[in-house]
Amino acid sequence: MTEFRPRRSVLYMPSSNARALEKAKTIPCDGLILDLEDAVAPDDKPSARDAACAAVRSGEYGSRELTIRVNGADTEWHADDLAAASAAGPDAIVVPKVGSADAVLHLVEAMTGHGAPEHTKLWAMVETPYAMLHAEEIAAASDRLTVLVMGTNDLAKELYAEHVPGRQPLLAGLGLALLAARATGKAIVDGVHLDLADEEGFAAACRQGRELGFDGKTLIHPKQIGLANDAFGPSTEEVAQARRLIAAFEEAQAAGKGVVVLDGKLVENLHVAEARRLVELAEAVGAG
């Protein structure tokens, strides 16, 4: 059974910024994406690659899930990034613009060839209309792929869509990716919110992401971590109610009762499964 990892807050950190890498050792996010792509200038790519790999090898990031985002397959840096990241052995390698099952298989083959340890998984960024329409094939292509990462800004660009509150233009694509993740047993994290001054809009996007079913959200600044953790983590009240529900179900089963009722509501297996998921998440993040 795969170890459960909370991914309420997954923060991009520029690997060319030594101060940011140092700060990342103490911030309360669930996961880090040490970025070699968008956040790094072309001239800084090689040194950023070395810094990210050194950070992974340092063992100084605690229980945070530590990943490296390499440059895309269509760039001059991709092959060296993938080789170095595989050798460093992070929790995962994040690859942008994964658009097909064949791309996944090629990446997995390359990671194996570069000696990536078994614990180093693949996170695929899905950020094009084609990827949305083939998300199930992408997600199902390999067991090494464990997480889909939404690239909502690139998706909006390719759709010619506007960035509006509620993200209506993106909901069809988000839904397809979510369906693909759940159908194949993968985790999925929502895209970033770029307006750091728009705290209300960010909080609303987090609530929407939780309501849609995302496991968490990718972030661009540490100031966003608290709201993401709150939105995607169960509240104390939710955990307490989940424990009550599980206890009532187990007591009814032990007594041989075929029907379980809690607070006047029928309790079915699906409710128990969701309650157990919430408790598992709470225990993983030290809540409830």
Side-chain angles (χ1 to χ4, degrees):
M1 184 177 177
T2 303
E3 178 191 3
F4 175 77
R5 301 293 296 264
R7 298 183 177 99
R8 301 166 300 167
S9 51
V10 181
L11 177 67
Y12 288 102
M13 296 294 274
S15 294
S16 55
N17 187 329
R19 183 179 176 186
L21 291 180
E22 184 65 28
K23 183 176 182 179
K25 297 174 182 178
T26 58
I27 55 181
C29 59
D30 290 335
L32 290 163
I33 298 176
L34 306 182
D35 196 14
L36 307 181
E37 196 207 16
D38 288 344
V40 179
D43 289 346
D44 294 332
K45 299 282 189 184
S47 59
R49 180 192 303 137
D50 292 341
C53 292
V56 166
R57 293 190 176 103
S58 73
E60 296 176 352
Y61 289 82
S63 62
R64 296 167 191 82
E65 194 166 15
L66 200 56
T67 75
I68 296 175
R69 178 165 75 162
V70 301
N71 286 280
D74 60 345
T75 70
E76 63 186 275
W77 306 285
H78 174 77
D80 288 340
D81 286 353
L82 195 61
S86 295
D91 289 309
I93 296 173
V94 184
V95 182
K97 291 186 173 62
V98 176
S100 68
D102 284 344
V104 172
L105 294 175
H106 178 76
L107 288 164
V108 169
E109 181 181 6
M111 289 169 63
T112 301
H114 291 310
E118 187 176 343
H119 74 260
T120 298
K121 306 303 182 183
L122 173 64
W123 290 15
M125 295 195 68
V126 287
E127 41 194 335
T128 65
Y130 190 90
M132 299 304 106
L133 293 171
H134 295 81
E136 183 183 0
E137 298 168 21
I138 292 168
S142 172
D143 289 340
R144 192 159 204 167
L145 192 162
T146 56
V147 179
L148 296 181
V149 181
M150 294 303 307
T152 45
N153 290 314
D154 279 276
L155 179 60
K157 170 180 168 288
E158 296 213 9
L159 290 172
Y160 309 146
E162 295 185 14
H163 293 276
V164 295
R167 300 191 296 178
Q168 181 65 38
L170 303 183
L171 290 181
L174 296 177
L176 287 170
L178 278 158
L179 286 167
R182 298 306 174 222
T184 57
K186 314 294 182 171
I188 182 168
V189 290
D190 199 358
V192 299
H193 186 85
L194 292 178
D195 188 351
L196 291 175
D198 180 24
E199 186 171 294
E200 183 178 340
F202 174 70
C206 286
R207 287 194 300 271
Q208 181 195 49
R210 167 86 183 263
E211 290 167 358
L212 288 171
F214 283 103
D215 295 289
K217 193 164 184 67
T218 48
L219 313 174
I220 60 169
H221 195 280
K223 70 182 287 186
Q224 297 176 320
I225 294 171
L227 284 173
N229 283 347
D230 288 344
F232 289 96
S235 67
T236 302
E237 294 76 14
E238 286 176 315
V239 177
Q241 180 65 9
R243 293 188 189 278
R244 286 185 65 227
L245 189 150
I246 294 168
F249 184 80
E250 291 177 346
E251 288 171 9
Q253 278 197 320
K257 296 179 181 178
V259 177
V260 184
V261 177
L262 179 66
D263 299 333
K265 297 178 181 179
L266 186 67
V267 176
E268 298 181 341
N269 286 329
L270 62 93
H271 302 124
V272 179
E274 174 62 10
R276 286 178 173 148
R277 187 188 70 81
L278 284 176
V279 170
E280 183 178 29
L281 174 57
E283 290 175 346
V285 301

